[in-house]
């Protein structure tokens, strides 16, 4: 549901990798998985000798970049991206064109999603000469947010529907009440609000894909676009989605990216069983009429449901995380089977959605000159897939750092620019990824790798334990408000109240999985 989509995508490469698959998130090999089953928690693994050969198409930096862009589900990702959204204004109609010539911009933001528009607007508000470059595409993904978080951002007016509370179903017992209002964001209103902010701040725009970013001898960045257009600037920031490997360098040897996929439909129905005042965050109840013979279909999925009324509902079948994307056609089959078994009759379909969210993976190399923001900067929460709120909330602080240093550099004169740009980059990366943030992310990656091992019963046991934690803990986890110290306390509580099988699984995972060692090392780094 909530995502910042992969936007940018030159070498040809062919690679082979194991096909063990598993919404919104790293393990190593099927050999490892098969030898580390967690007692009653079944671990999914590929069948013997099962491999797939993926040809990385031209336009992608490598296999990882291809996976982030959509991989085997790329056609569906492109369908989602290219949806017509007639209410949303064209950027080119609202923003002044970038003047290509001798004009040197302070900052170029590459990418026109929520993260890119927010950063461009906030930077221009602080006096920077900002250019925005990217395809003129609308917001097409549905965004779900905690209402209080969007209110804190001054964006309450962009929420089109609010549910007074949020519930979770793990089995046929009573649902778990989250105790927090949830909202559905209007794509149209959010797009228009961020575009309005860009226009008022004086952001200029070029409707073009970016082919590369190079450095001039004087330290300036040269942003090469289509049709041989080159835009010079003092600093370039990539906010073009997760698949930005052609424009950015990422750490080598980090965890492999996982994928959260979800197939959704907004429909008019009969026999809707859900209370329209409650948003269904997760429904893990099993509605299958019979055991599905295919391994892929046994992967844990849940229903995410937004009942706008007693008859109009947005349903989404979601795979929390998988090593390779769970296919959209399989998710669709599971959703239709679930609705049929529940007795829900579809009368009219308003929209289909194909949500593809890369989670986990490596951080950007923080020693590079080019900067990043949003999903390109690995700001997607590895455990939930949420990223829009973090990008919107951090844009003002990030812009302030850039503006402060660039303006100080300008007052000193152009001759110091090359050395200062390196300093700008280092300070900007440290703003996005201070050590505290890295500790939190390492913890989430450890949890992601653990979740990837569980079958449906393991998932249910995990979440039953999760929701038995003190309320401030699980609410803080879902709201991304726990510090790295809080997360250690969170893990301790989980271990204490978990059943013995899960305790053994946690210990084994900590000692044997690479994410365990990485988490410990990151926590110990000053």
């Amino acid at each position: 549901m909530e995502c910042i989509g992969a936007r940018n995508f030159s070498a040809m490469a062919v690679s082979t990798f194991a096909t063990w698959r598993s919404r919104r998130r790293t393990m190593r090999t099927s050999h490892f998985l098969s030898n580390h089953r967690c007692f009653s928690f079944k671990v999914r693994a590929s069948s013997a000798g099962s491999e797939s050969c993926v040809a990385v198409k031209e336009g992608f930096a490598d296999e990882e970049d291809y996976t982030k862009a959509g991989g085997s589900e790329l056609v569906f990702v492109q369908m989602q991206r290219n949806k017509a959204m007639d209410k949303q204004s064209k950027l080119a109609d609202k923003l002044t064109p970038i003047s290509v010539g001798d004009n040197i911009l302070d900052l170029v933001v590459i990418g026109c999603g929520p993260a890119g528009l927010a950063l461009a607007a906030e930077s221009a508000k602080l006096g920077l000469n900002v250019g925005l470059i990217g395809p003129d595409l609308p917001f097409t993904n549905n965004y779900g947010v905690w209402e209080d978080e969007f209110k804190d951002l001054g964006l309450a007016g962009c929420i089109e529907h609010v549910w007074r509370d949020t519930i979770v179903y793990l089995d046929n017992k009573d649902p778990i009440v989250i105790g927090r209002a949830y909202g559905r964001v209007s794509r149209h209103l959010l797009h228009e609000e961020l575009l309005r902010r860009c226009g008022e701040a004086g952001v200029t725009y070029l409707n073009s894909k970016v082919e590369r970013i190079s450095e001039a001898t004087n330290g300036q960045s040269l942003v090469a676009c289509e049709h041989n257009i080159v835009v010079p600037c003092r600093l370039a920031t990539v906010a073009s989605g997760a698949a930005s490997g052609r424009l950015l360098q990422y750490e080598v040897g980090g965890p492999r990216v996982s994928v959260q996929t979800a197939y959704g439909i907004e429909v008019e129905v009969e026999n809707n069983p859900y209370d329209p005042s409650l948003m269904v965050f997760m429904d893990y109840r099993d509605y299958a009429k019979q055991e599905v013979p295919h391994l892929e279909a046994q992967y844990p999925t849940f229903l995410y449901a937004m009942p706008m009324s007693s008859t109009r509902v947005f349903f989404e079948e979601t795979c929390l995380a998988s090593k390779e994307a769970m296919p959209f056609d399989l998710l669709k089959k599971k959703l239709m089977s679930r609705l049929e078994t529940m007795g829900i009759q579809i009368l009219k379909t308003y929209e289909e959605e194909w949500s593809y969210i890369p989670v986990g993976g490596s951080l950007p190399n923080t020693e590079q000159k080019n900067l990043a923001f949003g999903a390109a900067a690995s700001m997607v929460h590895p455990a939930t897939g949420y990223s829009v709120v973090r990008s919107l909330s951090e844009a003002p602080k990030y812009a302030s750092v850039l503006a402060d240093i660039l303006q100080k550099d300008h007052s000193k004169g152009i001759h110091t620019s090359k050395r200062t740009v390196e300093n700008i980059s280092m300070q900007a990366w440290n703003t996005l990824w201070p050590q505290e943030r890295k500790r939190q992310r390492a913890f989430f990656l450890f949890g992601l790798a653990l979740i990837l091992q569980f079958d449906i019963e393991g998932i249910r046991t995990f979440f039953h334990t999760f929701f038995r934690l003190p309320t401030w803990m699980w609410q803080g986890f879902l709201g991304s408000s726990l510090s790295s110290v809080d997360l250690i306390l969170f893990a301790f509580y989980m271990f204490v109240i978990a059943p013995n099988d899960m305790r053994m699984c946690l210990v084994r995972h900590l000692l044997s999985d690479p994410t365990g060692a990485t988490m410990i090392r990151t926590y110990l780094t000053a």
Side-chain angles (χ1 to χ4, degrees), residues 99 108 112 131 160 175 186 188 197 215 220 231 252 301 315 331 334 358 394 396-397 405 420 430 448 477 481:
S99 177
V108 163
C112 304
E160 64 182 8
S186 165
H188 162 63
R197 295 181 183 185
E215 184 174 4
Q220 294 175 3
V231 179
V252 177
T301 62
F315 293 112
L331 284 164
K334 292 193 73 172
E394 293 199 19
K397 179 181 179 182
I405 305 171
T420 308
N430 287 338
L448 168 62
F477 186 94
S481 61

Side-chain angles (χ1 to χ4, degrees), residues 134-426:
D136 199 342
L137 295 172
F139 294 175
T140 60
N141 286 83
N142 282 290
Y143 302 125
V145 297
W146 301 112
E147 183 193 23
D148 56 337
E149 290 184 341
F150 236 51
K151 280 185 175 180
D152 291 343
L153 294 172
L155 292 170
C158 296
I159 298 178
E160 64 182 8
H161 193 98
V162 176
W163 292 267
R164 62 177 174 82
D165 213 330
T166 313
I167 59 173
V168 172
Y169 294 92
L170 297 177
D171 47 35
N172 292 321
K173 299 177 182 178
D174 291 339
I176 297 164
V177 179
I178 301 295
R180 196 174 187 188
Y182 200 79
R184 179 179 180 175
V185 177
S186 165
R187 293 165 287 188
H188 162 63
L189 293 177
L190 179 62
H191 184 270
E192 298 307 295
E193 173 61 20
L194 295 178
L195 180 53
R196 181 192 65 79
R197 295 181 183 185
C198 285
E200 291 182 354
V203 175
T204 55
Y205 174 64
L206 176 63
N207 181 7
S208 174
K209 292 181 180 179
V210 172
E211 297 176 346
R212 64 186 176 278
I213 307 170
S214 57
E215 184 174 4
T217 54
N218 61 359
Q220 294 175 3
S221 293
L222 304 176
V223 182
C225 306
E226 298 172 303
H227 311 299
N228 297 316
I229 297 175
V230 178
V231 179
C233 62
R234 297 167 68 194
L235 198 61
T237 298
V238 180
S240 53
S244 298
R246 290 195 304 111
L247 304 177
L248 293 169
Q249 302 166 8
Y250 289 84
E251 292 177 351
V252 177
R256 272 188 60 187
V257 69
S258 300
V259 181
Q260 175 193 120
T261 47
Y263 171 79
I265 50 173
E266 184 165 337
V267 290
E268 197 77 26
V269 300
E270 285 184 348
N271 304 320
N272 170 33
Y274 295 114
D275 183 343
S277 68
L278 301 174
M279 184 271 166
V280 182
F281 197 62
M282 294 188 299
D283 188 343
Y284 267 111
R285 291 177 292 183
D286 187 5
Y287 288 102
K289 291 181 178 179
Q290 58 187 11
E291 191 72 20
V292 182
H294 304 292
L295 176 65
E296 292 172 326
Q298 295 176 25
Y299 287 12
T301 62
F302 63 88
L303 182 66
Y304 176 95
M306 289 179 158
M308 268 71 72
S309 70
S310 60
T311 59
R312 185 161 179 163
V313 189
F314 177 79
F315 293 112
E316 195 163 59
E317 191 75 21
T318 304
C319 176
L320 184 63
S322 57
K323 293 305 297 179
E324 295 174 42
M326 186 171 182
F328 286 115
D329 57 357
L330 180 57
L331 284 164
K332 182 176 182 177
K333 290 177 183 177
K334 292 193 73 172
L335 175 59
M336 295 307 174
S337 175
R338 181 192 294 269
L339 298 181
E340 180 183 0
T341 306
M342 293 174 69
I344 299 174
Q345 182 181 355
I346 297 175
L347 304 178
K348 181 179 179 180
T349 300
Y350 296 101
E351 181 183 3
E352 285 184 284
E353 175 172 275
W354 300 270
S355 175
Y356 187 98
I357 306 175
V359 290
S362 297
L363 289 175
N365 182 345
T366 56
E367 295 182 359
Q368 63 189 310
K369 174 186 173 183
N370 298 331
L371 299 175
F373 191 64
S378 302
M379 290 170 65
V380 178
H381 193 300
T384 66
Y386 284 92
S387 67
V388 169
V389 169
R390 181 183 173 191
S391 295
L392 295 178
S393 62
E394 293 199 19
K397 179 181 179 182
Y398 192 52
S400 178
V401 171
L402 299 180
D404 184 57
I405 305 171
L406 282 171
Q407 288 166 352
K408 285 181 180 178
D409 177 39
H410 185 70
S411 66
K412 293 178 182 178
I414 196 68
H415 298 296
T416 63
S417 63
K418 185 168 184 178
R419 181 188 308 170
T420 308
V421 160
E422 296 175 355
N423 186 43
I424 293 170
S425 299
M426 182 176 298

